[in-house]
Amino acid sequence: MELYRALAYLIGPAAPSRPELAAALGVIPLTAEQRTALFDLDLPPYASRYLSPSGEIGGELRQRAAGFFQVLDLPIPPEPDHLASLLDLLAWLADGEAVGRQRQTFRHLRETLVWEHLLPWVPLYLSTLVRVVPGGFRPWCAELSDAMLGEAKMSVFCRAEVLPVYPPVDWEASLQAVASQLLSPARSGLWLTRQLLIDLSRSEGLPAFGGRVSLLAGLLRAAPLPTLQALSELAGEWSAELRHLSWLGPIAEHWQGLADRGRAQLLRAVRGGPAGPPKERREWLRRRTAE
Amino acid sequence: MDDRSRETGPGGRLPELESRLRALRVECEARGETFYPGPSQLQLAAFPPKERWDDWIELDSKAWPRRLERHHRLIPTTCFNCESACGLLAYVDAETQQVRKFEGNPLSPGSRGRNCAKGPATLNQIQDPDRILWPLRRAGGRGEGRWERISWEEALDTVAARIRRALSEGRNNEIMYHVGRPGEDGFTERMLAAWNVDGHNSHTNICSSGGRAGFQFWMGFDRPSPDFARAEVILLISAHLESGHYFNPHAQRIVEARARGARLIVLDVRLSNTASQADYWLSPYPGSEAAILLAIAAHLIAERRIDQDFIRRWWNWEEYLRECRSDLPVTFESFLIALDQLYRDYSFDFAARESGISAERLREVAEVIAGAGHRLAAHIWRSAAAGNLGGWQISRALVLLPALLGAIATEGGTYPNTWNKFVPRPIHEPPHPTSWNALTYPLEYPLGQNEMSFLLPHFLKEGRGRIDTYFSRVYNPVWTNPDGFSWIEMLSDPEQVGLHVALTPTWSETAYLADLILPMGHASERHDLFSYEQYDGQWIGFRQPVLREARRRAGEPVSDTRSVNPGEVWEENEFWIELSWRIDPDGSLGIRRWFESKVQPGQKLSVDEYYAYIFEHSVPGLPEAAAAAGLSPLDYMRRYGSFEICRDVGPLHERPLDPEDLEGAVVAPDGRIYSPAARRPSPNAAPLPAPGPDAAGRRAVGVQVDGRACLGFPTPSGRLEFYSKTLAEWGWPEQAVPGYLRSHVHPDKLKPGEMPLIPTFRVPVQIHTRSANAKWLDEIAHTNPLWIHPSDAARLGLRTGSLVRVETPIGHMVLKAWVTEGIRPGVVACSHHMGRWRPAGETGGSNALMATVERSQEGPLHRLSRLAGAGRRPSGSGGAPVWWSDVGVHQNLIFPVHPDPISGMHCWHQAVSVRAADPGDRYGDIAVDTERAHQIYLEWLALTRPATPQSPGGLRRPYWLLRPLRPSRDAYRVS
Ligand code: SF4
């Protein structure tokens, strides 16, 4: 299926150099600077980034993706959980399904890939990406989003039980660790872009330097209550937005549950800590944010 | 985003985008461009895009953790290890101008960027610390192991003077060129023709003649080109996924078909890698394969699950009825009755008794084959066809199945090889030699598929002739052929072989006995041009000295490949041109003109002009593709290494005849069409059989089928020859239709206590002499134990690792047992490719990957005993030092010759006695009696039915059958 390869090519590791391909998709390719800002700093397109408890790229989630290639006896690409690799694999399976007697096997594999490795994060990723991506690249988001919808509609089963469930944010951890956990969607339920944190920092009159963890840690340290307030509002909006992804069924419910859990946690934090009388809560917050 | 609003169904936006992208990709690839350029995770492959081959950057893995960038020129060439000729890309370091590694060439249509382990291991071969770098001359007696370096000048003059004298004295037949791994399609054949020497000798009769003969008697072509990728059922009597003919290109297409759902049936006594992947693995008693195939055929015929229309149109059934069933009217209906009667006795029960496989299982497989329809791709190579007396009938019985189903030259079916092959017409075409060399094609084997090469020592022993100058060329008969001690006796005797010139990249058991050793290049150090049938298409591949091309691109053109190869290693094309000039310096022998420039008459032909001519004049579409890329055709091939001329060739036998051929043509009663029109030169010079003319001398050009004049097949009848009149007329009427011959290892023929030994299989990472010095490959596989079933092992008191003595009628060897259920009970097996040795005291090379042996002889009794194993190679030659010492045992030494009386194939399987080693036996011991070996040769010779002056046309051999180097028609006469 060429569409998936073409979509993958436009976010692949190297800058695309075939303009007619982008034109056919109605997309204006990203400049090198935009690619870096989006795919290196803001929203790296890796499954492990959004599905792992640490929110870091690599690790077990990457191994799971590698395993999919391995069982099919296919060469394992250097970054198997990169969206481009997964889309290319999807194209290969779709091609296999289109010919031959093993259609059923390919269909089954395709659905497994879609439900286990793509739908758990890609539609949410696209919903986030579309807010920060330059206008010329929005058709790419729309086309992939359409395609994901199409895959979901074609499926005869869905396997949401494979979605990972991790402990919520540990508010007793260090400030840095709390910031990291808030930035892990799998723990906090929040999908926070760097751009959003920059905007928050600016609105609080704070310097907007560094990566997402240092930006968020800076915000929690310098302006804890407005930050927690803003994040809880974001969690609420996100939870509402997830209703539009109801076609994802249990996946959407899972993320909505996470967002609601995250929002509740944030609100508790705004009110003065996870538990105990108000004074102690304020002390907790002071201690946490003074580190 | 609310995605529910978007259209994804038919007619929606996404299908439209998909078709737009597909069209764009087709358009882009038609321009020869990569649709997704860039180092990429896409396409599940990471080939460097060809646009960047001039400056490809990779990090130096050895510099890790530093990120050291290395710039490379990627230059295509072709693997020289097996016959598949997969494309390679040499990564030439821009700084050091040395090859850093080899990977697959994604533009090679056959291999499509993939290689087996042997392709990248070319690096070991070119960096082999033991390789031969200079011309060497024997300093002591033959085989004494003392050498002196000489110049190429001296070597060339010595050889040229000797050949010139032989030619001037009319001793043309005393010059012999004996080839192992072929190089360029037709180059040396033309060279010998230019010398007027019928001296081509190949290894084919110890390799694939049995398989080939079965195909040739059916369809004229001597090999199939199965369309594996599109097949529904694949039937293999060979180990195609590990060592088949064309290993990697075929294996990858079989794997594709399997992924699509095609079913794989493998007949192999052994659980090969291929058998392990099969849906149906049948492990028959060796030699019973034809009984199985005929039982399946009988089932298809009885149930009429055959393509009757195809059979009616394309088989020579009328000829069969006329010649063999005069009791029946010549109608198709009576042919079907006759066919039924002919194969009725080949029941599943009969096949079960012969093969040891249950009748139910055979019936199940027959049903699968019956369901294949036109998509049955079948192949047999070496294996059973090379193992058994009458192995060629196994091949013939195999073709019977696709021929019954009409799966010949169909999508997913079995094509004749030559339709998928393109040999560009060369710059010069010398005429056929005028003499006949009875040392290669003796009267006893008029139907021998190829030269009777492995009988040479016996022929010379009998005084049938002598050889003045013998070239062993990338060939090691002492080690590869059966009965190697007879070869040692022959090559040690200057009365039998006057001058032995070994053209070889590496030391070998044969090179040790040479008078001159001339170092020849590996895959990246020589020019060759070739084409192989690997799918339904035609392509050419180019092998080139990659450092020569790197220099040229750097603006330093090179005109002598020696100047870029290590030491004074040369390439053969330049060598043969130079040698031919020295044989005939003034042109008086009529040789020189075939090696002269066309651009500068009277000057020596350069390889650059030679290939430039071919690429400009003889490869349809190449000049245009090159022009579109802004290159000359030669530069295009230098840059990309291959070119696909066409694909989807289709059923050429159905192609209407050209109007020119029909002018004045006559149709014989059997439908054969003969034309008075002269043959028009085709750019494709692939060798074809040559069915004879009619009485008026008109050419056989086609055949009339249902009133249509079609091209047909290049057989005497123009059709598929179910009935071979050739076999009938040349003394074998009882073998004229596909049948079952009981092998020489059939249970009825074994003495008490004997078992068949299967010695024919390869391991996937080894390839005869050529891979022996590739350390990476040896590290993976370096020994060849005797496969033996647990029940036999228990009976003989053997365990894995036990020393075991294996005896043939001429001698014995001592090796280790490997107890495995991967072999059927009652049969043992041992891989070839192993047991390389060098005599103690040999000074040539250090050969750390060979065993050092002591060789002794008392009259006809020869002994070999192992003094030391491998294991002295230092690090720096491909990783850590050699850690193993066992290199296996040279089994072929103890095999007597078994020439099949019809195909001439050496029937490799052996009837052996197996027992625990005697107390004094040591691992690697070998003892052979060459007198006894000669007696066995005579016993097999007695099975032949020789050509005589009374043979058809008074010929030595049917003229229509293929010969690699065909002498003139007059030379065929027995007188
Ligand atoms: S040895 Fe392997 S890589 Fe080389 S030509 Fe043969 S199959 Fe291809």
Side-chain angles (χ1 to χ4, degrees), chain B residues 270-271 281 785-793 798-800 817-825 827-829:
Chain B
R270 209 172 50 86
L271 179 61
W281 170 40
L786 187 75
W787 295 40
I788 185 163
H789 191 268
S791 59
D792 294 315
L798 297 172
R799 289 192 307 195
T800 291
W818 182 48
V819 181
T820 170
E821 291 188 348
I823 184 91
R824 64 172 296 128
V827 180
V828 288

PDB file of all heavy atoms in Angstrom, chain B residues 270-271 281 785-793 798-800 817-825 827-829:
ATOM      1  N   ARG B 270      17.400 -36.744   2.935  1.00  0.00           N
ATOM      2  CA  ARG B 270      17.936 -36.091   4.118  1.00  0.00           C
ATOM      3  C   ARG B 270      17.006 -34.957   4.530  1.00  0.00           C
ATOM      4  O   ARG B 270      16.377 -34.336   3.671  1.00  0.00           O
ATOM      5  CB  ARG B 270      19.241 -35.456   3.631  1.00  0.00           C
ATOM      6  CG  ARG B 270      20.343 -35.257   4.545  1.00  0.00           C
ATOM      7  CD  ARG B 270      21.545 -34.791   3.716  1.00  0.00           C
ATOM      8  NE  ARG B 270      21.253 -33.693   2.814  1.00  0.00           N
ATOM      9  CZ  ARG B 270      21.287 -32.415   3.145  1.00  0.00           C
ATOM     10  NH1 ARG B 270      21.592 -32.047   4.353  1.00  0.00           N
ATOM     11  NH2 ARG B 270      21.009 -31.488   2.249  1.00  0.00           N
ATOM     12  N   LEU B 271      16.979 -34.651   5.800  1.00  0.00           N
ATOM     13  CA  LEU B 271      16.238 -33.466   6.245  1.00  0.00           C
ATOM     14  C   LEU B 271      17.132 -32.254   5.986  1.00  0.00           C
ATOM     15  O   LEU B 271      17.890 -31.813   6.843  1.00  0.00           O
ATOM     16  CB  LEU B 271      15.876 -33.563   7.726  1.00  0.00           C
ATOM     17  CG  LEU B 271      15.118 -32.358   8.292  1.00  0.00           C
ATOM     18  CD1 LEU B 271      13.789 -32.152   7.579  1.00  0.00           C
ATOM     19  CD2 LEU B 271      14.879 -32.520   9.779  1.00  0.00           C
ATOM     20  N   TRP B 281       7.496 -33.106   3.199  1.00  0.00           N
ATOM     21  CA  TRP B 281       8.844 -33.640   3.022  1.00  0.00           C
ATOM     22  C   TRP B 281       8.731 -35.140   2.828  1.00  0.00           C
ATOM     23  O   TRP B 281       8.249 -35.847   3.708  1.00  0.00           O
ATOM     24  CB  TRP B 281       9.726 -33.337   4.245  1.00  0.00           C
ATOM     25  CG  TRP B 281      11.041 -34.071   4.215  1.00  0.00           C
ATOM     26  CD1 TRP B 281      11.833 -34.292   3.119  1.00  0.00           C
ATOM     27  CD2 TRP B 281      11.699 -34.721   5.313  1.00  0.00           C
ATOM     28  NE1 TRP B 281      12.945 -35.019   3.473  1.00  0.00           N
ATOM     29  CE2 TRP B 281      12.893 -35.304   4.804  1.00  0.00           C
ATOM     30  CE3 TRP B 281      11.398 -34.860   6.668  1.00  0.00           C
ATOM     31  CZ2 TRP B 281      13.786 -36.001   5.628  1.00  0.00           C
ATOM     32  CZ3 TRP B 281      12.293 -35.564   7.477  1.00  0.00           C
ATOM     33  CH2 TRP B 281      13.466 -36.123   6.966  1.00  0.00           C
ATOM     34  N   PRO B 785      30.659 -34.747   9.206  1.00  0.00           N
ATOM     35  CA  PRO B 785      30.462 -36.058   9.815  1.00  0.00           C
ATOM     36  C   PRO B 785      29.497 -36.911   8.992  1.00  0.00           C
ATOM     37  O   PRO B 785      28.803 -36.409   8.119  1.00  0.00           O
ATOM     38  CB  PRO B 785      29.854 -35.711  11.183  1.00  0.00           C
ATOM     39  CG  PRO B 785      29.168 -34.415  10.963  1.00  0.00           C
ATOM     40  CD  PRO B 785      29.980 -33.678   9.939  1.00  0.00           C
ATOM     41  N   LEU B 786      29.472 -38.170   9.317  1.00  0.00           N
ATOM     42  CA  LEU B 786      28.583 -39.104   8.624  1.00  0.00           C
ATOM     43  C   LEU B 786      27.209 -39.090   9.288  1.00  0.00           C
ATOM     44  O   LEU B 786      27.075 -39.428  10.466  1.00  0.00           O
ATOM     45  CB  LEU B 786      29.168 -40.518   8.703  1.00  0.00           C
ATOM     46  CG  LEU B 786      28.438 -41.569   7.873  1.00  0.00           C
ATOM     47  CD1 LEU B 786      28.762 -41.407   6.392  1.00  0.00           C
ATOM     48  CD2 LEU B 786      28.800 -42.975   8.355  1.00  0.00           C
ATOM     49  N   TRP B 787      26.195 -38.661   8.530  1.00  0.00           N
ATOM     50  CA  TRP B 787      24.826 -38.687   9.056  1.00  0.00           C
ATOM     51  C   TRP B 787      24.384 -40.142   9.144  1.00  0.00           C
ATOM     52  O   TRP B 787      24.445 -40.866   8.148  1.00  0.00           O
ATOM     53  CB  TRP B 787      23.861 -37.965   8.119  1.00  0.00           C
ATOM     54  CG  TRP B 787      24.041 -36.503   7.920  1.00  0.00           C
ATOM     55  CD1 TRP B 787      25.213 -35.821   7.788  1.00  0.00           C
ATOM     56  CD2 TRP B 787      23.003 -35.529   7.780  1.00  0.00           C
ATOM     57  NE1 TRP B 787      24.976 -34.485   7.577  1.00  0.00           N
ATOM     58  CE2 TRP B 787      23.622 -34.280   7.562  1.00  0.00           C
ATOM     59  CE3 TRP B 787      21.614 -35.594   7.811  1.00  0.00           C
ATOM     60  CZ2 TRP B 787      22.889 -33.107   7.388  1.00  0.00           C
ATOM     61  CZ3 TRP B 787      20.890 -34.416   7.620  1.00  0.00           C
ATOM     62  CH2 TRP B 787      21.530 -33.194   7.423  1.00  0.00           C
ATOM     63  N   ILE B 788      23.911 -40.528  10.291  1.00  0.00           N
ATOM     64  CA  ILE B 788      23.456 -41.917  10.446  1.00  0.00           C
ATOM     65  C   ILE B 788      22.255 -41.941  11.386  1.00  0.00           C
ATOM     66  O   ILE B 788      22.233 -41.225  12.396  1.00  0.00           O
ATOM     67  CB  ILE B 788      24.616 -42.828  10.929  1.00  0.00           C
ATOM     68  CG1 ILE B 788      24.188 -44.283  10.976  1.00  0.00           C
ATOM     69  CG2 ILE B 788      25.202 -42.396  12.269  1.00  0.00           C
ATOM     70  CD1 ILE B 788      25.379 -45.262  11.050  1.00  0.00           C
ATOM     71  N   HIS B 789      21.275 -42.749  11.033  1.00  0.00           N
ATOM     72  CA  HIS B 789      20.039 -42.799  11.819  1.00  0.00           C
ATOM     73  C   HIS B 789      20.296 -43.508  13.154  1.00  0.00           C
ATOM     74  O   HIS B 789      21.119 -44.437  13.216  1.00  0.00           O
ATOM     75  CB  HIS B 789      18.961 -43.542  11.020  1.00  0.00           C
ATOM     76  CG  HIS B 789      17.605 -43.409  11.614  1.00  0.00           C
ATOM     77  ND1 HIS B 789      17.098 -44.303  12.518  1.00  0.00           N
ATOM     78  CD2 HIS B 789      16.651 -42.450  11.458  1.00  0.00           C
ATOM     79  CE1 HIS B 789      15.880 -43.927  12.886  1.00  0.00           C
ATOM     80  NE2 HIS B 789      15.591 -42.794  12.247  1.00  0.00           N
ATOM     81  N   PRO B 790      19.582 -43.101  14.230  1.00  0.00           N
ATOM     82  CA  PRO B 790      19.812 -43.740  15.534  1.00  0.00           C
ATOM     83  C   PRO B 790      19.691 -45.261  15.490  1.00  0.00           C
ATOM     84  O   PRO B 790      20.451 -45.962  16.159  1.00  0.00           O
ATOM     85  CB  PRO B 790      18.725 -43.125  16.423  1.00  0.00           C
ATOM     86  CG  PRO B 790      18.418 -41.805  15.793  1.00  0.00           C
ATOM     87  CD  PRO B 790      18.635 -41.980  14.327  1.00  0.00           C
ATOM     88  N   SER B 791      18.755 -45.789  14.679  1.00  0.00           N
ATOM     89  CA  SER B 791      18.593 -47.246  14.652  1.00  0.00           C
ATOM     90  C   SER B 791      19.836 -47.906  14.060  1.00  0.00           C
ATOM     91  O   SER B 791      20.287 -48.950  14.541  1.00  0.00           O
ATOM     92  CB  SER B 791      17.342 -47.620  13.851  1.00  0.00           C
ATOM     93  OG  SER B 791      17.462 -47.112  12.531  1.00  0.00           O
ATOM     94  N   ASP B 792      20.404 -47.307  13.024  1.00  0.00           N
ATOM     95  CA  ASP B 792      21.628 -47.872  12.437  1.00  0.00           C
ATOM     96  C   ASP B 792      22.808 -47.698  13.387  1.00  0.00           C
ATOM     97  O   ASP B 792      23.653 -48.585  13.502  1.00  0.00           O
ATOM     98  CB  ASP B 792      21.935 -47.190  11.096  1.00  0.00           C
ATOM     99  CG  ASP B 792      20.870 -47.494  10.054  1.00  0.00           C
ATOM    100  OD1 ASP B 792      20.473 -48.672   9.951  1.00  0.00           O
ATOM    101  OD2 ASP B 792      20.412 -46.560   9.374  1.00  0.00           O
ATOM    102  N   ALA B 793      22.838 -46.532  14.025  1.00  0.00           N
ATOM    103  CA  ALA B 793      23.943 -46.270  14.946  1.00  0.00           C
ATOM    104  C   ALA B 793      23.924 -47.298  16.085  1.00  0.00           C
ATOM    105  O   ALA B 793      24.966 -47.845  16.460  1.00  0.00           O
ATOM    106  CB  ALA B 793      23.840 -44.852  15.489  1.00  0.00           C
ATOM    107  N   LEU B 798      27.486 -47.190  17.427  1.00  0.00           N
ATOM    108  CA  LEU B 798      28.086 -45.866  17.198  1.00  0.00           C
ATOM    109  C   LEU B 798      27.327 -44.805  17.979  1.00  0.00           C
ATOM    110  O   LEU B 798      26.115 -44.924  18.186  1.00  0.00           O
ATOM    111  CB  LEU B 798      28.022 -45.515  15.703  1.00  0.00           C
ATOM    112  CG  LEU B 798      28.796 -46.430  14.754  1.00  0.00           C
ATOM    113  CD1 LEU B 798      28.477 -46.065  13.315  1.00  0.00           C
ATOM    114  CD2 LEU B 798      30.299 -46.324  15.006  1.00  0.00           C
ATOM    115  N   ARG B 799      28.041 -43.773  18.361  1.00  0.00           N
ATOM    116  CA  ARG B 799      27.419 -42.587  18.949  1.00  0.00           C
ATOM    117  C   ARG B 799      27.942 -41.375  18.207  1.00  0.00           C
ATOM    118  O   ARG B 799      28.937 -41.473  17.489  1.00  0.00           O
ATOM    119  CB  ARG B 799      27.798 -42.478  20.430  1.00  0.00           C
ATOM    120  CG  ARG B 799      27.120 -43.547  21.269  1.00  0.00           C
ATOM    121  CD  ARG B 799      27.257 -43.260  22.719  1.00  0.00           C
ATOM    122  NE  ARG B 799      28.656 -43.036  23.100  1.00  0.00           N
ATOM    123  CZ  ARG B 799      29.085 -43.049  24.344  1.00  0.00           C
ATOM    124  NH1 ARG B 799      28.242 -43.228  25.313  1.00  0.00           N
ATOM    125  NH2 ARG B 799      30.348 -42.858  24.622  1.00  0.00           N
ATOM    126  N   THR B 800      27.304 -40.241  18.417  1.00  0.00           N
ATOM    127  CA  THR B 800      27.814 -39.024  17.782  1.00  0.00           C
ATOM    128  C   THR B 800      29.263 -38.818  18.224  1.00  0.00           C
ATOM    129  O   THR B 800      29.557 -38.865  19.418  1.00  0.00           O
ATOM    130  CB  THR B 800      26.939 -37.816  18.170  1.00  0.00           C
ATOM    131  OG1 THR B 800      25.671 -37.972  17.544  1.00  0.00           O
ATOM    132  CG2 THR B 800      27.563 -36.508  17.703  1.00  0.00           C
ATOM    133  N   ALA B 817      30.958 -40.040  13.325  1.00  0.00           N
ATOM    134  CA  ALA B 817      29.522 -40.262  13.127  1.00  0.00           C
ATOM    135  C   ALA B 817      28.730 -39.089  13.703  1.00  0.00           C
ATOM    136  O   ALA B 817      29.148 -38.459  14.679  1.00  0.00           O
ATOM    137  CB  ALA B 817      29.101 -41.551  13.825  1.00  0.00           C
ATOM    138  N   TRP B 818      27.630 -38.798  13.075  1.00  0.00           N
ATOM    139  CA  TRP B 818      26.660 -37.848  13.637  1.00  0.00           C
ATOM    140  C   TRP B 818      25.308 -38.541  13.630  1.00  0.00           C
ATOM    141  O   TRP B 818      24.754 -38.817  12.570  1.00  0.00           O
ATOM    142  CB  TRP B 818      26.606 -36.566  12.801  1.00  0.00           C
ATOM    143  CG  TRP B 818      25.659 -35.551  13.384  1.00  0.00           C
ATOM    144  CD1 TRP B 818      25.595 -35.152  14.682  1.00  0.00           C
ATOM    145  CD2 TRP B 818      24.634 -34.834  12.694  1.00  0.00           C
ATOM    146  NE1 TRP B 818      24.598 -34.213  14.847  1.00  0.00           N
ATOM    147  CE2 TRP B 818      24.000 -33.999  13.645  1.00  0.00           C
ATOM    148  CE3 TRP B 818      24.196 -34.796  11.376  1.00  0.00           C
ATOM    149  CZ2 TRP B 818      22.947 -33.152  13.309  1.00  0.00           C
ATOM    150  CZ3 TRP B 818      23.148 -33.946  11.036  1.00  0.00           C
ATOM    151  CH2 TRP B 818      22.535 -33.136  12.000  1.00  0.00           C
ATOM    152  N   VAL B 819      24.823 -38.880  14.794  1.00  0.00           N
ATOM    153  CA  VAL B 819      23.589 -39.655  14.889  1.00  0.00           C
ATOM    154  C   VAL B 819      22.415 -38.686  14.831  1.00  0.00           C
ATOM    155  O   VAL B 819      22.320 -37.766  15.645  1.00  0.00           O
ATOM    156  CB  VAL B 819      23.572 -40.483  16.198  1.00  0.00           C
ATOM    157  CG1 VAL B 819      22.307 -41.311  16.299  1.00  0.00           C
ATOM    158  CG2 VAL B 819      24.804 -41.383  16.254  1.00  0.00           C
ATOM    159  N   THR B 820      21.542 -38.890  13.865  1.00  0.00           N
ATOM    160  CA  THR B 820      20.457 -37.931  13.645  1.00  0.00           C
ATOM    161  C   THR B 820      19.244 -38.608  13.029  1.00  0.00           C
ATOM    162  O   THR B 820      19.389 -39.529  12.216  1.00  0.00           O
ATOM    163  CB  THR B 820      20.913 -36.785  12.706  1.00  0.00           C
ATOM    164  OG1 THR B 820      19.783 -36.006  12.339  1.00  0.00           O
ATOM    165  CG2 THR B 820      21.568 -37.298  11.438  1.00  0.00           C
ATOM    166  N   GLU B 821      18.094 -38.115  13.402  1.00  0.00           N
ATOM    167  CA  GLU B 821      16.871 -38.615  12.763  1.00  0.00           C
ATOM    168  C   GLU B 821      16.593 -37.890  11.458  1.00  0.00           C
ATOM    169  O   GLU B 821      15.578 -38.126  10.811  1.00  0.00           O
ATOM    170  CB  GLU B 821      15.687 -38.465  13.719  1.00  0.00           C
ATOM    171  CG  GLU B 821      15.814 -39.416  14.885  1.00  0.00           C
ATOM    172  CD  GLU B 821      14.587 -39.456  15.758  1.00  0.00           C
ATOM    173  OE1 GLU B 821      13.720 -38.577  15.588  1.00  0.00           O
ATOM    174  OE2 GLU B 821      14.505 -40.355  16.596  1.00  0.00           O
ATOM    175  N   GLY B 822      17.510 -37.001  11.072  1.00  0.00           N
ATOM    176  CA  GLY B 822      17.335 -36.257   9.818  1.00  0.00           C
ATOM    177  C   GLY B 822      17.706 -37.062   8.594  1.00  0.00           C
ATOM    178  O   GLY B 822      17.812 -36.510   7.507  1.00  0.00           O
ATOM    179  N   ILE B 823      17.939 -38.341   8.748  1.00  0.00           N
ATOM    180  CA  ILE B 823      18.247 -39.195   7.588  1.00  0.00           C
ATOM    181  C   ILE B 823      17.414 -40.461   7.738  1.00  0.00           C
ATOM    182  O   ILE B 823      17.162 -40.902   8.866  1.00  0.00           O
ATOM    183  CB  ILE B 823      19.756 -39.527   7.550  1.00  0.00           C
ATOM    184  CG1 ILE B 823      20.153 -40.327   6.308  1.00  0.00           C
ATOM    185  CG2 ILE B 823      20.222 -40.279   8.792  1.00  0.00           C
ATOM    186  CD1 ILE B 823      20.560 -39.454   5.170  1.00  0.00           C
ATOM    187  N   ARG B 824      16.979 -41.002   6.608  1.00  0.00           N
ATOM    188  CA  ARG B 824      16.112 -42.188   6.760  1.00  0.00           C
ATOM    189  C   ARG B 824      16.960 -43.390   7.203  1.00  0.00           C
ATOM    190  O   ARG B 824      18.147 -43.485   6.873  1.00  0.00           O
ATOM    191  CB  ARG B 824      15.318 -42.481   5.502  1.00  0.00           C
ATOM    192  CG  ARG B 824      16.100 -42.854   4.288  1.00  0.00           C
ATOM    193  CD  ARG B 824      15.189 -43.304   3.151  1.00  0.00           C
ATOM    194  NE  ARG B 824      14.474 -44.508   3.517  1.00  0.00           N
ATOM    195  CZ  ARG B 824      13.145 -44.659   3.438  1.00  0.00           C
ATOM    196  NH1 ARG B 824      12.398 -43.688   3.004  1.00  0.00           N
ATOM    197  NH2 ARG B 824      12.581 -45.791   3.778  1.00  0.00           N
ATOM    198  N   PRO B 825      16.366 -44.299   7.928  1.00  0.00           N
ATOM    199  CA  PRO B 825      17.105 -45.481   8.383  1.00  0.00           C
ATOM    200  C   PRO B 825      17.639 -46.258   7.176  1.00  0.00           C
ATOM    201  O   PRO B 825      17.014 -46.288   6.114  1.00  0.00           O
ATOM    202  CB  PRO B 825      16.055 -46.301   9.135  1.00  0.00           C
ATOM    203  CG  PRO B 825      14.981 -45.328   9.493  1.00  0.00           C
ATOM    204  CD  PRO B 825      14.980 -44.284   8.433  1.00  0.00           C
ATOM    205  N   VAL B 827      20.271 -45.588   5.452  1.00  0.00           N
ATOM    206  CA  VAL B 827      21.006 -44.754   4.502  1.00  0.00           C
ATOM    207  C   VAL B 827      21.954 -43.866   5.307  1.00  0.00           C
ATOM    208  O   VAL B 827      21.596 -43.423   6.405  1.00  0.00           O
ATOM    209  CB  VAL B 827      20.030 -43.852   3.695  1.00  0.00           C
ATOM    210  CG1 VAL B 827      20.787 -42.979   2.708  1.00  0.00           C
ATOM    211  CG2 VAL B 827      18.998 -44.684   2.966  1.00  0.00           C
ATOM    212  N   VAL B 828      23.144 -43.619   4.788  1.00  0.00           N
ATOM    213  CA  VAL B 828      24.037 -42.654   5.445  1.00  0.00           C
ATOM    214  C   VAL B 828      24.348 -41.531   4.455  1.00  0.00           C
ATOM    215  O   VAL B 828      24.141 -41.677   3.249  1.00  0.00           O
ATOM    216  CB  VAL B 828      25.351 -43.308   5.940  1.00  0.00           C
ATOM    217  CG1 VAL B 828      25.092 -44.185   7.150  1.00  0.00           C
ATOM    218  CG2 VAL B 828      26.030 -44.098   4.829  1.00  0.00           C
ATOM    219  N   ALA B 829      24.812 -40.401   4.992  1.00  0.00           N
ATOM    220  CA  ALA B 829      25.076 -39.244   4.117  1.00  0.00           C
ATOM    221  C   ALA B 829      26.284 -38.487   4.633  1.00  0.00           C
ATOM    222  O   ALA B 829      26.597 -38.523   5.830  1.00  0.00           O
ATOM    223  CB  ALA B 829      23.855 -38.326   4.084  1.00  0.00           C
TER     224      ALA B 829
END
